Every structure is written in structure tokens, then in C-alpha cells.
DNA sequence: CTGTTAGCGCTTTCAA
DNA sequence: TTGAAAGCGCTAACAG
């Protein structure tokens, strides 16, 4: 009769069986008291509840996930955790998911599809019940894995064809709208500053170009495109570059408010009057934009609502329901302020 | 002879046993080939590797966590995900933890100890191998649970006695240093704007008061304290309130850069010259602060490094090692700019 | 309403 | 270097 060493256990933590033993029932009854209390008699329920409170029982999610073959978790991949745009989206998604008992596995892809692939594969090991992704530029492997696992997925921020589920806004239209606004204000030599150059920035750029073209204006007059991450400092720098390239520029559409704020600050340093000498427009309507002086004309995007609606749609899909619409366009709104 | 329905499984996903069957070995050998390849013969290893790649095997973390009684995950609780201060800390922690194979369970407590308690209890179910917490104002229940489970924990942002593990900076000293700077510049009617009023803000406030007292100045001349969350808009508003309360104020120490930026913007609107009529100082050195005009005097905090060092210390504790120091003071630095 | 049994997918222990 | 057996903590299925 050989004595085996006991295997490692979750360091003294009480289990369902411990509770069960104390109450004098079987563990499945305790499990029911927790998960489907209506199936357990009032008397046992209260007894069990008191022992649970007494012992300080903490269920083991890993065991539950293994037994039920679902994890009650959702992976959410966003390009950056240090950009309010995406933390707002995340807040909306988390509020919905947490309220429905899901945990979120948050991944920061750093705007890199390769990193997104790494994170996605890593999170797959946790068997998330669904995924929220940003945009549509996933690697082929991700697409293949998604298809193979038939895991519900909802894309955020951009729109696409009816064969994929997404919640976002038309970035092309938004870029077009801002360029049209500048044109309607009488500006004719409108430059563009683009950083990061992720798909959404590119769509805004194309919208801008198309508006200029429709107005019969040279379509790449003063474009500065730089793939490095957006920042206020980069905006400062890019204004210099643009003025060297197109000194006669009278308006500037920045692909986001970070760049635009940098342009505003640098304009003040260079004594360029905004909007008299140079109009400045941004994108996203960050907190600073309404308060900076001159206040910044920009496009407000419904970020929290995008996260909220995307998570809601994902919930439906995880429940096996078919959402009323596969594409939800939450739009954008032009905020005209002092800078134009 | 009754035939039972098969229980739900992870929807067709291959298991170790599937790989093992294909190769003609037992599943433990496949497990070894993955986790401790040096224990498996070269030949089997390559065979197994090719089948794994072929099938696209994805390990099941829940099963592994259950069997090993550890989750390879770390819970990280921060007050806010929409505040760069904490996403910077988070970035530092994640870089370390991910590099060592840990997943991070991110929780946003919204500056509420009660919400922190909820999140902590929820994440306990995942049996994290360690925890990173912000500050020291945890609820008694959290403290009790931590003690009971003897789970390694490292506190971030603040410092404490040698009986707890932490990485941060002395917030009192930092507040004191900024007030001293303003005094050294000759300002005498120095006001304070505080929002959120979390423990770190209060410590800065006490540091400020103590510096004023040491200088023999009335110590609550113009303090505006408001428990609502910090924002640029709140800074705008608070400047108005302060000027009503203390119109002769000549310098303003804002508990963070958000408020300070609001003050700068609003000063410009009100044609208050900074720093001639009113000096303005902030805290944290956000990206905008160096570029805004006038540029903002502030205290730079080593946020990324705090997260990095805290995670490193936690790793040591999770490995059962004793870190060289239980308290790591990463300091701060005064950035004197145009606004003072 | 409660219990028995079996099994989720993996890794530990022990044995060869 | 490989394998058999057992078990981690929980819940689905079936039976009473």
C-alpha cells in the first residue's frame, strides 16, 4: 500500500465539498444553492449561505470553466490603452459586459496586427466566449482562427459589409465632413496632418481628399503623413514641416486632436493667429479641445456608445440570438469652435 | 445499459489526448513536449510539434490552472483607466508580467474602495498568483482576504512602513517641494486646487500646507477642495471659484495637470497673464504640459517605472524570494517651466 | 428537491 | 525517456 503525496491544491481554499460536508449535503446541492437557488429548499439555502459566509468560500473559476466549457469572459483588443479614444470604448464595453457577469481580457495591440495576433492567440487559451476587435485589419491567421472556432466577434470603430458584425462610424464620411466644413468657411489651401496611419486615419484622409477633389482643388497640396504615434509633440513638429512644404496653407485638418493641440500650441509660439492666419481642425473631441484657447473645431465620436453597443451586440451573439442589424452606424458630429 | 449524452466540451477544440493519439504516445508526453521539452526525445518532440502546428492545438488554460493550482495571472487594480497616470503604471507592469508569462486581470476601481473590494473579490475567483494595488486605502475585507490567502501583493504609487511591499514616491514631499519652489520664486499668496481628494492628493495638500507653515504663511489662504473627478473643465471652474474666494492670490498649485491646464486655458480667456499675474503649477507632467503655452511647471512622476518595479518586486515575491527592499522610493522631479 | 456518477483537460505522482 | 493512474474543483446528466 503506497502512499502518494497529495497534489498541490489551491492553498487551503475551501471547496464546494468542504461546505457540503459542514452542512451535511452533497456538493452538487451547494453548487445549486449558488447557481440555481430556486432548485434548493429554502431551509438548505439559508444554511448553506451561512456556512459560505462563515468560511469565506471563494468559487474556483478555472474548475467551473472547465466543467461548463465556457469561461464567462470576453477578450477585448484595442490599439492603445494610453489613448482616451480607446479607453472610452473600453469603458462602454466593460460596463455592459460586467453587468452581465463577464470578465474582460484586455489587450493592447500597440496598433500592430502582429501584436494583435499574439494577444489573440494568447487569449484564445482562456477560451473567451466572445471577442471585441478594433477595426478590420486583422491578420489572416486571426481571421482563420475566428472562423474555425466560430467564436462570436464584433468589430468596433469602423463599418463594413453586412457579413460582419460591427459598431462604429464612417470614418471616410467624417473626414469628408470636416474638409467640407473648412471649404464652406472659405478656406482653399487646406493641409492635412496624419500620424500613426492606422486604417481609420487613412479613411479620414481619403474622405478629406475626396472633398477637396469635389471642390476642384489640388488634392495633395500639403499632406504630411508620418507613421509614428500621434502626440502633441508630433503635432508641434509637423506644423513646422508643413509650413516649410506649404507656407501658403490657410487651414489644417489634423487626423486627431493630439496633433491639433500641438499645432495650436506651436501656432501660439510662432505668433500665428488661429483662425485668422491658419484655421485648425482636429478629430475625436478630446477633453482639452473644448477648453483650449482658441477652442478646437473637431469631430466628436460616440466612443463610449460604440463600446456599449458593440458589447450589447456581442452579448446577443453569445446567447445565440441574431442581432437586428449586423452593422450599427453611430455617426459623428462636427463641433465647430473658435479655431475655424 | 444506459447511454449518457456527452457533456458539453470546448466545441471541437483539439486536446492533448487528440495530439497524443495522432502521434501514438500518451498525453503526458505531449504535455511534456510543450512544457518541459528537455524531458522528451528529440524525435518525439519534432513529431509532436508538427502535429500541434498541423491541428492548431490551443492549450486550455482553465484545465492547466486547475491541475497546477496556479493561474499564471496577476490582478492589477488601478483607480482609473481613463487617466494616463495609471495607464502608464499599467504599461510598466504589463511589460514585465507579460514577458514572464503572466496575464493581467485589469480592474478599474473608479477611485472607490467599495468598487475595489468588488473587483478584488471577483478576481479572487480566478486565483491570481499575485496582486498589484494602488495606494493603501483598501477596505478591511480586502486586507483580511489578502492576509488569509497569503497572496503576494505590492502597492503602487505611495510609500509605507517596512511591513508592506510598495513602489512609489513620497507624495507629501512632492507637494512640499512644489510649494517650496513657488515660495522660492517669491510668491506669497499661494492657493491650492484639489479635486478627487484621493489619498495621494491629500498627501500633496499636506505637503503644501507644511511648506507654507514653515515659511510662516497662513496655511489655508485659498484652498478649493472638490471631491469630484479631476478634469480640465473642473480646473476652469475652480479658477473662478478661487478668484472669488482669494482674488489676491498670486500663485496656484493644482493637485494635477488636468486642473492646471484648465486654469491656464481659463486664465487666457480672462486675460490673466501667466506667470506675471498668476503663477500656475501642476502635478504629473502630462504630455500636454511641456507644450502648452505658457508651458506648465509641474512634478514629473516615474509612472512607467513604478509599474515596472512593482511588477518586478511582485515576481520575486511570487517566486518565494525576498526582495532586497520592501519599499522602493522612485522619487519625483520638479520641472520648472514658463508658468512659474 | 437531492444525490450519484462521471467527466471537463491538464499535470502530478509514482513506476517502469 | 515514457506511461498509468489519479486528481485538481466544479457541474451535466441521470435517477430517485
Amino acid at each position: 500500500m503506497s502512499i502518494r503525496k497529495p497534489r498541490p491544491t489551491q492553498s487551503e481554499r475551501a471547496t464546494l465539498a468542504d461546505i457540503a460536508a459542514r452542512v451535511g449535503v452533497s456538493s452538487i446541492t451547494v453548487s445549486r444553492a449558488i447557481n440555481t437557488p430556486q432548485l434548493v429548499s429554502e431551509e438548505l439555502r439559508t444554511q448553506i449561505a451561512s456556512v459560505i459566509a462563515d468560511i469565506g468560500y471563494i468559487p474556483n473559476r478555472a474548475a467551473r470553466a472547465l466543467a461548463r466549457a465556457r469561461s464567462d469572459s470576453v477578450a477585448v483588443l484595442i490599439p492603445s490603452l494610453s489613448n482616451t479614444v480607446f479607453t472610452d470604448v473600453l469603458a462602454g464595453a466593460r460596463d455592459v459586459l460586467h453587468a452581465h457577469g463577464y470578465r474582460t481580457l484586455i489587450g493592447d495591440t500597440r496598433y500592430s496586427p502582429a501584436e494583435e495576433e499574439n494577444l489573440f492567440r494568447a487569449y484564445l487559451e482562456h477560451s473567451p466566449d466572445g471577442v471585441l476587435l478594433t477595426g478590420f485589419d486583422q491578420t489572416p491567421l486571426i481571421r482563420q482562427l475566428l472562423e474555425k472556432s466560430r467564436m462570436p466577434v464584433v468589430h468596433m470603430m469602423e463599418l463594413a459589409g453586412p457579413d460582419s458584425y460591427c459598431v462604429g462610424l464612417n470614418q471616410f464620411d467624417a473626414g469628408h465632413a470636416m474638409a467640407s466644413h473648412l471649404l464652406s468657411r472659405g478656406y482653399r489651401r487646406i493641409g492635412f496632418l496624419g500620424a500613426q496611419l492606422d486604417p481609420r486615419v487613412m479613411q479620414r484622409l481619403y474622405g478629406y481628399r475626396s472633398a477637396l477633389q469635389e471642390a476642384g482643388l489640388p488634392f495633395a497640396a500639403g499632406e504630411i503623413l508620418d507613421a509614428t504615434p500621434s502626440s502633441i509633440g508630433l503635432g508641434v513638429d509637423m506644423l513646422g514641416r508643413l509650413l516649410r512644404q506649404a507656407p501658403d496653407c490657410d487651414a489644417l485638418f489634423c487626423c486627431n486632436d493630439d496633433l491639433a493641440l500641438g499645432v495650436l500650441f506651436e501656432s501660439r509660439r510662432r505668433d500665428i493667429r488661429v483662425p485668422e492666419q491658419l484655421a485648425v481642425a482636429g478629430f475625436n473631441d478630446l477633453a482639452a479641445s473644448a477648453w483650449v484657447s482658441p477652442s478646437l473645431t473637431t469631430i466628436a465620436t460616440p466612443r463610449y456608445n460604440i463600446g456599449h453597443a458593440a458589447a450589447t451586440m456581442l452579448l446577443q451573439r453569445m446567447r445565440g440570438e441574431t442581432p437586428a442589424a449586423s452593422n450599427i452606424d453611430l455617426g459623428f458630429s462636427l463641433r465647430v469652435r473658435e479655431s475655424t
Side-chain angles (χ1 to χ4, degrees), chain A:
Chain A
M1 166 182 157
S2 70
I3 296 168
R4 303 176 76 110
K5 258 201 239 162
R7 28 174 39 221
T9 149
Q10 40 168 1
S11 77
E12 324 295 299
R13 227 162 85 176
T15 68
L16 277 188
D18 296 329
I19 314 276
R22 287 252 257 186
V23 181
V25 294
S26 74
S27 33
I28 185 65
T29 301
V30 180
S31 171
R32 288 194 185 110
I34 294 174
N35 299 307
T36 50
Q38 68 279 13
L39 297 184
V40 177
S41 70
E42 170 96 39
E43 197 195 327
L44 275 182
R45 246 187 294 155
T46 52
Q47 258 190 85
I48 291 173
S50 96
V51 174
I52 286 181
D54 197 37
I55 299 204
Y57 168 69
I58 296 161
N60 182 322
R61 288 301 266 217
R64 162 186 266 246
L66 186 58
R68 305 213 313 182
R70 10 180 302 226
S71 62
D72 292 322
S73 70
V74 166
V76 183
L77 302 187
I78 56 179
S80 164
L81 261 173
S82 50
N83 186 331
T84 326
V85 170
F86 300 111
T87 52
D88 286 348
V89 172
L90 189 55
R94 281 167 69 91
D95 283 352
V96 171
L97 294 170
H98 279 213
H100 290 264
Y102 286 91
R103 304 281 199 272
T104 45
L105 303 168
I106 300 172
D108 172 350
T109 69
R110 301 172 191 212
Y111 288 96
S112 150
E115 180 61 16
E116 184 177 36
E117 182 175 304
N118 289 336
L119 283 169
F120 184 77
R121 296 179 61 180
Y123 283 154
L124 265 190
E125 302 186 350
H126 293 265
S127 320
D129 300 335
V131 203
L132 293 175
L133 297 175
T134 304
F136 287 93
D137 54 328
Q138 279 73 40
T139 64
L141 177 60
I142 292 186
R143 271 195 281 274
Q144 183 196 314
L145 286 170
L146 278 172
E147 204 148 329
K148 193 169 158 192
S149 64
R150 298 187 307 117
M151 184 180 295
V153 53
V154 174
H155 299 256
M156 306 184 290
M157 306 310 285
E158 300 173 41
L159 300 174
D163 46 330
S164 48
Y165 292 84
C166 55
V167 179
L169 59 110
N170 191 316
Q171 307 269 348
F172 178 97
D173 287 355
H176 191 283
M178 182 56 90
S180 300
H181 160 70
L182 293 170
L183 288 165
S184 79
R185 278 285 201 254
Y187 301 106
R188 282 300 172 271
R189 296 180 301 283
I190 305 173
F192 183 95
L193 298 189
Q196 191 70 63
L197 308 186
D198 59 83
R200 291 162 295 285
V201 166
M202 295 313 284
Q203 289 163 41
R204 289 169 210 160
L205 170 63
Y206 301 144
Y208 147 89
R209 285 181 180 167
S210 121
L212 292 201
Q213 232 166 355
E214 287 162 25
L217 294 171
F219 94 74
E223 289 176 6
I224 307 272
L225 302 179
D226 187 325
T228 57
S230 284
S231 68
I232 292 178
L234 183 60
V236 168
D237 182 63
M238 288 176 106
L239 175 63
R241 286 194 256 161
L242 179 99
L243 291 180
R244 243 170 284 135
Q245 182 180 310
D248 60 341
C249 173
D250 62 5
L252 207 40
F253 177 17
C254 306
C255 74
N256 61 44
D257 283 3
D258 298 279
L259 295 186
L261 289 171
V263 167
L264 285 183
F265 297 154
E266 180 64 6
S267 295
R268 184 159 184 208
R269 285 232 153 62
R270 294 177 178 233
D271 281 318
I272 298 172
R273 277 168 295 121
V274 176
E276 295 81 3
Q277 288 176 263
L278 181 70
V280 179
F283 200 102
N284 277 328
D285 196 20
L286 298 189
S289 306
W291 299 108
V292 68
S293 175
S295 58
L296 180 66
T297 292
T298 187
I299 298 259
T301 50
R303 302 185 288 272
Y304 180 90
N305 289 337
I306 289 176
H308 198 279
T312 304
M313 189 187 277
L314 185 66
L315 276 180
Q316 297 180 307
R317 299 205 52 209
M318 292 191 299
R319 287 196 282 251
E321 302 165 17
T322 307
S326 65
N327 277 231
I328 297 183
D329 182 352
L330 253 30
F332 55 86
S333 40
L334 178 65
R335 297 258 189 272
V336 178
R337 301 208 182 99
E338 298 164 355
S339 70
T340 59

